[in-house]
Amino acid sequence: NNVHVTVVNKQRYYKTVIYSHAGNVGYFDYTKMSTACSYRIGQNIARKLKRLGVTCTEVVFRKLMRVDSVLQAFQVHGLRVTRMTHRPLLPKSAPHRPQQKRRV
């Protein structure tokens, strides 16, 4: 339900530059699920990127929820999005064995 945004530097072995989530911008509990919260997180990241001098970004997201409001915040602050990629998390383990029949 929460939106996490991580900015990585591709030239420096994908090290994290900026990280933001709902708690950083002042949203807690049930308000984390709102689109206003995701817009505010995108706004926070966009301001920090502009301060660093970044103009173009590539966006990789894992969930499709509320990506549009983050992208709107980027566009309002003048960041160009050059590529958008959807990379969902895949399960790490093998499927579980089915339960055995109960013997009475």
Side-chain angles (χ1 to χ4, degrees):
N1 292 336
N2 197 350
V3 177
H4 296 272
V5 178
T6 305
V7 178
V8 294
N9 190 351
K10 286 174 54 176
Q11 294 179 345
R12 304 264 177 165
Y13 305 109
Y14 292 90
K15 294 199 177 202
T16 301
V17 179
I18 303 168
Y19 176 75
S20 184
H21 55 88
N24 287 358
V25 294
Y27 286 89
F28 298 102
D29 297 332
Y30 62 90
T31 56
K32 292 190 286 190
M33 295 180 261
S34 65
T35 56
C37 174
S38 59
Y39 182 82
R40 184 73 192 270
I41 292 169
Q43 195 176 31
N44 186 22
I45 291 290
R47 284 181 186 157
K48 290 179 181 181
L49 287 175
K50 290 301 272 188
R51 213 177 306 145
L52 290 174
V54 176
T55 57
C56 297
T57 59
E58 291 182 6
V59 177
V60 178
F61 50 92
R62 297 186 181 195
K63 294 182 182 178
L64 294 173
M65 296 171 25
R66 298 187 294 276
V67 173
D68 53 346
S69 57
V70 174
L71 294 176
Q72 282 177 356
F74 284 0
Q75 187 177 12
V76 166
H77 285 276
L79 287 176
R80 277 192 313 139
V81 177
T82 56
R83 185 190 313 176
M84 286 179 37
T85 310
H86 180 229
R87 195 178 304 151
L89 284 176
L90 299 174
K92 293 181 181 179
S93 62
H96 298 291
R97 290 185 354 200
Q99 283 187 338
Q100 291 183 352
K101 274 191 152 181
R102 185 172 177 224
R103 292 184 228 161
V104 181

